Amino acid sequence: MISIKTGLSLIVVTVLMSISAYATADTMIENANGYTLNRQQKLIRFDALVFDDSGKITAVGHSKKLTRQFPLAQRINLHGKTLLPGLIDAHGHVLALGHHQAELSLRETRTLAQAQERISDYAQRFPSQQWILGGEWNQVNWGSGRFPTAHDIDAVVSERPVWLSRVDGHAAWANSRAMQLAGIGRDTPDPVGGKIEKDAQGNPTGIFIDNAMELIRTVIPPASDADNRMALDAALRTFAQSGLTSVHDAGVSAEADRLFREYAVNDRLSARIYGMISGTDDFFERVSKEGPLLSDGQDRYALRAVKLFADGALGSRGAALAAPYSDAPDTSGLLFQTTPVMAAMIKKAADKGYQVNVHAIGDAANRQILDGFAALPAVARKAARHRIEHAQVLAVEDIPRFKELNIIPSMQPVHATSDMTMAEQRVGHERIKGAYAWRRYLKQGSQIACGSDFPVESANPFWGMHAAVTRRSRDGEPLQGWYAEQAMTRVEAFRCFTLDAAYAAHQENIIGSLEKGKWADFIVVDRDIFTIPAQQMHQIQVVQTWLAGKVVYQNEAPSLK
């Protein structure tokens, strides 16, 4: 027989245990139109989500059941609005995005004359700037049939140096003053992996491709610590407004790493950052002594990958092709490194325990990198989840090697709709079959990690999902979609910006879907991505962004019941 005293003690313990269970389940989101993926990567629906004080998800399901299970939870009513996992951009440039917002943009110019007018106006508005920086120009849109020249800038700004990068970041345009400060002349040789465009007389025209850009960059005053902080703050605001709760930074410098660590420690990172060390030189040598940073404790910052470059971009004809360009038979682009050197760089980073992520656009570059990965031990290669960033133009027969070698294709769907006006001109009808070929990868079982390559493209992930599903411009062209047979389904596009992007960062157990034990990273949007007309997907607006159970962006106040 149990004594009265013992019985009371058991009741007290039971009550305390019940209260403890409820106490950590602080908040319940209810009346939501919720979507997530389960561990089998299947789309599931729910209308309620519970998370505790630590910012971890406690339960996902239906309001009636969860209300009974967590009666003390604070309740937030979404009144039927759509709730999704926080979105992930698997390839971008964080500080560059922030800096970009204060620089000159030529993205919307449609003629060289418009670009010149923008340059002149910017110079007049900012007379104290030592250098005029910016870019995003695209000579294809100008219809001039040529690259611009230094003289084109000199005509409007000649006394101050001007340095403007092409929209893809793989070519840049300088005026004569900038070249003078860098000591560039007719006798300046092309660096390995780069090209200085020259005229018929051998004089530099003002266009610098890929590694040649460093000749000018080295004389540009570096951004100050204050500039970098402002850039990071601006980038974080953009991520929150766009519904991005995690981004992969494709090229982290020593300065960026220091800043990211500081912000993480001080709880100032309103988006998770998965970092890729830029190259295997001095910074890598220093930081790799401690090995990869898998997490900062709250999973706000990780530095466990290395970013390498194999070639340039298609638009500037710097992408390395196995055969000459269809519209420029005198060039096949540029490999940045010899095959032995590139293989050694891949091995160096892999041997230190890092995931190796290599930029490769052209078919020759992709083949070089696939060969480099093939030389690594198979077991370690599988565990590392190495990636090829962009994987843009491949020989069709090389695509199965991604699956065979356990290499992740990290791709940016919006590049296809941006490049469709020139891509086939560059590579021809036959090679285009292996370009932007998402369906080929998905059919063989490859997991695609999707991103945007911001600030080359907008950081808005709904623009990327729209491009993935429709293969049309945001204006609706072409009507049937550009090589529409390579399009993704809506679920596949959703998955590549969530769970598959998380997998590509070894983070599928903590983010990427809304499941018990994962971080409560989620967004509320103004319409249902799975039921609206596909052509409207890019119009979706973010209402709220939550990170670890806290609101980091709010366009509309939640309703508390």
Side-chain angles (χ1 to χ4, degrees), residues 173-499:
W173 176 23
N175 68 349
S176 296
R177 179 59 177 154
M179 291 193 290
Q180 180 185 21
L181 291 173
I184 305 296
R186 61 183 298 125
D187 296 326
T188 306
D190 290 339
V192 175
K195 182 180 181 182
I196 304 170
E197 290 285 335
K198 295 182 178 179
D199 61 22
Q201 289 72 46
N203 297 309
T205 66
I207 294 296
F208 296 78
I209 296 175
D210 291 317
N211 285 355
M213 294 188 291
E214 291 303 314
L215 299 173
I216 302 286
R217 283 175 178 161
T218 55
V219 299
I220 299 174
S224 67
D225 182 66
D227 290 337
N228 284 333
R229 289 175 186 276
M230 289 177 62
L232 179 52
D233 290 339
L236 291 171
R237 286 194 297 271
T238 297
F239 300 150
Q241 293 165 4
S242 303
L244 292 170
T245 55
S246 179
V247 298
H248 301 180
D249 194 332
V252 174
S253 65
E255 294 79 10
D257 175 60
R258 177 182 57 78
L259 207 53
F260 295 162
R261 290 175 191 257
E262 177 192 318
Y263 270 53
V265 167
N266 293 317
D267 196 27
R268 293 182 63 187
L269 279 184
S270 55
R272 305 183 192 280
I273 297 178
Y274 179 78
M276 312 177 201
I277 299 169
S278 184
T280 56
D281 50 17
D282 295 343
F283 173 48
F284 173 79
E285 292 287 359
R286 296 197 307 273
V287 76
S288 65
K289 291 178 181 179
E290 300 177 358
L293 173 66
L294 305 185
S295 171
D296 64 342
Q298 292 295 308
D299 299 319
R300 295 295 176 98
Y301 180 51
L303 190 69
R304 66 176 301 172
V306 170
K307 168 74 179 303
L308 304 175
F309 281 90
D311 66 346
L314 199 63
S316 56
R317 298 189 185 88
L321 301 180
Y325 278 79
S326 297
D327 61 352
D330 59 333
T331 182
S332 299
L334 301 161
L335 283 172
F336 283 11
Q337 306 291 344
T338 64
T339 295
V341 169
M342 178 56 75
M345 293 170 70
I346 290 172
K347 185 176 186 301
K348 178 180 179 180
D351 285 351
K352 290 281 190 176
Y354 288 88
Q355 178 191 57
V356 184
N357 304 339
V358 189
H359 164 116
I361 300 287
D363 54 3
N366 276 279
R367 183 169 292 169
Q368 182 192 60
I369 303 310
L370 288 167
D371 288 346
F373 284 139
L376 299 176
V379 174
R381 184 178 63 233
K382 182 176 182 179
R385 303 181 189 177
H386 301 305
R387 296 161 43 170
I388 291 185
E389 304 298 314
H390 310 305
Q392 203 158 298
V393 180
L394 278 98
V396 171
E397 62 268 24
D398 280 339
I399 291 176
R401 299 182 69 193
F402 280 78
K403 184 65 176 176
E404 295 163 6
L405 298 173
N406 295 291
I407 306 303
I408 295 172
S410 174
M411 308 172 86
Q412 300 74 47
V414 76
H415 279 343
T417 51
S418 292
D419 293 354
M420 64 185 178
T421 58
M422 62 83 184
E424 193 162 351
Q425 297 173 16
R426 294 286 190 272
V427 302
H429 180 68
E430 194 60 33
R431 284 184 290 190
I432 202 69
K433 295 175 183 177
Y436 317 89
W438 313 320
R439 176 57 47 201
R440 294 183 186 275
Y441 293 93
L442 292 169
K443 186 176 181 180
Q444 70 187 19
S446 292
Q447 291 176 257
I448 299 176
C450 282
S452 66
D453 202 11
F454 61 76
V456 172
E457 303 278 3
S458 168
N460 187 332
F462 295 105
W463 288 19
M465 289 190 202
H466 166 266
V469 172
T470 69
R471 291 182 72 102
R472 297 164 69 185
S473 72
R474 291 179 295 282
D475 293 329
E477 297 296 334
L479 188 61
Q480 301 304 319
W482 185 64
Y483 288 95
E485 71 277 4
Q486 294 300 325
M488 299 185 194
T489 67
R490 296 194 201 207
V491 173
E492 289 166 345
F494 176 63
R495 197 178 77 203
C496 81
F497 277 97
T498 54
L499 199 54

Side-chain angles (χ1 to χ4, degrees), residues 508-529:
E508 73 276 11
N509 292 323
I510 57 173
I511 59 173
S513 62
L514 299 173
E515 300 176 79
K516 183 178 179 179
K518 290 190 175 185
W519 289 108
D521 296 357
F522 59 90
I523 61 175
V524 180
V525 296
D526 68 346
R527 63 194 82 182
D528 189 328
I529 189 172

Side-chain angles (χ1 to χ4, degrees), residues 75-126:
R75 294 160 69 184
I76 297 177
N77 194 330
L78 288 189
H79 300 288
K81 285 190 171 61
T82 297
L83 187 151
L84 306 171
L87 301 178
I88 303 170
D89 191 310
H91 185 109
H93 307 275
V94 175
L95 292 187
L97 176 64
H99 286 303
H100 156 77
Q101 295 179 11
E103 294 177 344
L104 168 63
S105 174
L106 302 177
R107 182 181 290 272
E108 302 303 322
T109 57
R110 290 294 175 262
T111 65
L112 176 58
Q114 284 184 357
Q116 290 173 304
E117 184 178 356
R118 291 274 184 93
I119 296 167
S120 177
D121 289 347
Y122 187 90
Q124 292 176 39
R125 284 191 293 119
F126 300 99

